[in-house]
């Protein structure tokens, strides 16, 4: 098992360097002068321009800029935004908000997809199964901004069951509506995976053997069927967790959630390149680390991986 863990960590190293290099290249290769953009319509003093370019290492060759940036990252220095604030301070303020939102969404998604997918797989071809498949198809067809606007209008504004925006109040209850929206956007795929995996597991020999030994459904379903059916769902949900951390921009924008996605979008609009690069780099680190954990969890659920 230790060898397996070390191998996965070693595989993550080139992924990290390759991804951060591409991100840095794409962001800083964008047309325009970010330093000039800071001044808007004003014409700055050339000496001031040169000093700012030197401060952000923009006067050095690209590869030197990247190496200096990576060196700072390993020292825990994520740079300074063009507004003068440390990027690490912005991350400390926004990342926990998005993390909380993502955790809520994934927990809700897992509860819905596992319970409904399991029951739907057991009742394959019945009314409940067909109804759940139709509902999941509708949810898969709706863009997330449509689900968000519908939830905001009906649940928050018309019925008054929740606050239409989050704002500065990031308590669990106040963030429940955007979490439900994110969970519904991910639920359909996970539910279908759980259903298909359940149907496949029910047809395996070890399940028939368990029934032939006299074990009842209350023993076979949770012990033999549920655990073996969870493998693709856990992998998908863990990947979804990374996607939520990275890409909850639309939902955070609609519900005014002061998280990473909303802040990252504002930084892109303002041309805050150090902020964009540092934010995305942190998200890459988090995503790579999460994938390693998923692989380890996969090995726990499926002992054959450990033996290989």
């Amino acid at each position: 098992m230790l060898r397996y863990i070390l191998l996965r960590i070693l595989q993550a190293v080139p992924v990290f360097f390759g991804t951060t290099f591409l991100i840095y290249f794409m962001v800083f290769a964008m047309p325009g002068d970010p330093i000039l953009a800071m001044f808007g319509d004003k014409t700055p003093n050339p000496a001031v321009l040169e000093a700012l370019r030197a401060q952000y290492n923009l006067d050095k060759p690209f590869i030197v800029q990247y190496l200096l940036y990576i060196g700072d990252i390993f020292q825990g220095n994520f740079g300074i935004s063009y507004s003068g604030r440390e990027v690490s301070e912005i991350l400390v303020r926004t990342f926990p908000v998005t993390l909380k939102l993502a955790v809520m969404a994934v927990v809700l998604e897992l509860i819905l997809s596992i319970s409904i997918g399991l029951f739907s797989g057991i009742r394959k071809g019945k009314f409940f199964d067909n109804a759940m498949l139709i509902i999941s198809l509708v949810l898969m067809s709706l863009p997330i901004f449509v689900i968000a606007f519908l939830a905001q209008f009906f649940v928050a504004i018309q019925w008054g069951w929740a606050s239409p925006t989050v704002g500065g109040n990031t308590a669990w209850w106040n963030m429940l509506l955007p979490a439900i929206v994110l969970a519904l956007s991910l639920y359909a795929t996970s539910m279908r995976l759980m259903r298909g995996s359940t149907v496949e597991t029910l047809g395996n020999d070890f399940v028939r053997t368990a029934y032939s030994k006299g074990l009842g459904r209350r023993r076979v379903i949770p012990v033999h069927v549920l655990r073996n059916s969870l493998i693709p769902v856990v992998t998908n949900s863990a990947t979804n967790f990374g996607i939520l951390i990275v890409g909850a921009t639309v939902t955070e924008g609609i519900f005014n959630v002061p998280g990473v996605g909303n802040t990252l979008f504002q930084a892109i609009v303002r041309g805050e390149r150090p902020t964009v690069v540092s934010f995305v780099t942190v998200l890459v680190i988090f995503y790579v680390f999460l994938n390693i954990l998923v692989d380890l969890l996969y090995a726990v659920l499926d002992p054959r991986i450990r033996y290989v």
Side-chain angles (χ1 to χ4, degrees):
M1 188 65 178
L2 180 61
R3 182 175 178 273
Y4 179 75
I5 295 173
L6 293 175
L7 181 62
R8 288 297 296 115
I9 293 174
L10 289 175
Q11 289 174 346
V13 172
V15 172
F16 167 75
F17 282 105
T19 308
T20 53
F21 180 83
L22 288 175
I23 292 167
Y24 198 89
F25 173 77
M26 288 187 292
V27 171
F28 280 86
M30 292 191 304
D33 190 334
I35 302 299
L36 281 175
M38 295 170 55
F39 294 91
D41 297 331
K42 299 178 181 178
T43 303
N45 190 305
V48 174
L49 283 178
E50 292 303 319
L52 288 172
R53 288 195 180 98
Q55 179 182 346
Y56 293 101
N57 296 321
L58 296 178
D59 58 338
K60 297 178 176 62
F62 168 76
I63 191 64
V64 176
Q65 294 182 41
Y66 173 73
L67 292 175
L68 289 172
Y69 170 73
I70 289 296
D72 288 338
I73 290 294
F74 283 122
Q75 295 177 30
N77 178 19
F78 292 96
I80 301 174
S81 68
Y82 292 156
S83 59
R85 299 176 59 190
E86 290 191 6
V87 176
S88 57
E89 292 181 3
I90 304 174
L91 276 168
V92 168
R93 178 176 55 84
T94 58
F95 195 81
V97 177
T98 298
L99 185 62
K100 180 191 291 188
L101 181 63
V103 168
M104 293 175 66
V106 169
V107 169
L108 291 171
E109 177 224 348
L110 283 174
I111 293 173
L112 289 172
S113 60
I114 291 175
S115 57
I116 295 176
L118 179 66
F119 192 69
S120 185
I122 296 172
R123 306 284 295 176
K124 179 186 176 184
K126 306 295 184 181
F127 174 78
F128 179 83
D129 179 38
N130 293 328
M132 291 302 103
L133 287 175
I134 292 173
I135 292 173
S136 66
L137 182 62
V138 172
L139 289 174
M140 290 175 68
S141 304
L142 289 175
I144 189 170
F145 65 86
V146 174
I147 301 175
F149 280 126
L150 287 175
Q152 190 178 53
F153 179 75
F154 287 104
V155 178
I157 298 175
Q158 291 289 98
W159 302 334
W161 292 351
S163 174
T165 58
V166 174
N169 183 10
T170 56
W172 293 95
W173 171 253
N174 206 43
M175 295 179 65
L176 183 60
L177 186 57
I180 292 174
V181 169
L182 288 172
L184 289 176
S185 70
L186 302 172
Y187 153 79
T189 303
S190 296
M191 192 282 285
R192 284 173 171 262
L193 278 174
M194 185 65 193
R195 175 192 175 276
S197 184
T198 301
V199 172
E200 181 182 354
T201 305
L202 285 170
N204 287 333
D205 291 338
F206 66 85
V207 175
R208 288 193 290 267
T209 302
Y211 279 124
S212 67
K213 288 181 177 179
L215 297 178
R217 271 198 166 189
R218 291 187 177 181
R219 175 70 177 173
V220 174
I221 297 299
V223 175
H224 297 280
V225 177
L226 178 60
R227 178 176 177 177
N228 288 279
S229 301
L230 280 176
I231 295 174
V233 181
V234 168
T235 305
N236 181 69
S237 296
T239 306
N240 286 340
F241 185 77
I243 293 172
L244 289 177
I245 292 290
V246 175
T249 306
V250 174
T251 305
E252 287 187 1
I254 293 174
F255 289 97
N256 193 27
V257 180
V260 172
N262 205 356
T263 306
L264 184 59
F265 175 74
Q266 297 298 328
I268 293 172
V269 172
R270 293 193 300 266
E272 293 266 356
R273 297 185 186 184
T275 307
V276 174
V277 172
S278 297
F279 264 56
V280 177
T281 299
V282 171
L283 296 178
V284 166
I285 295 171
F286 182 85
Y287 198 79
V288 169
F289 178 72
L290 183 65
N291 273 275
I292 294 174
L293 289 181
V294 171
D295 287 341
L296 298 180
L297 183 59
Y298 204 105
V300 171
L301 292 173
D302 191 349
R304 293 172 297 180
I305 296 176
R306 296 200 299 270
Y307 298 145
V308 172

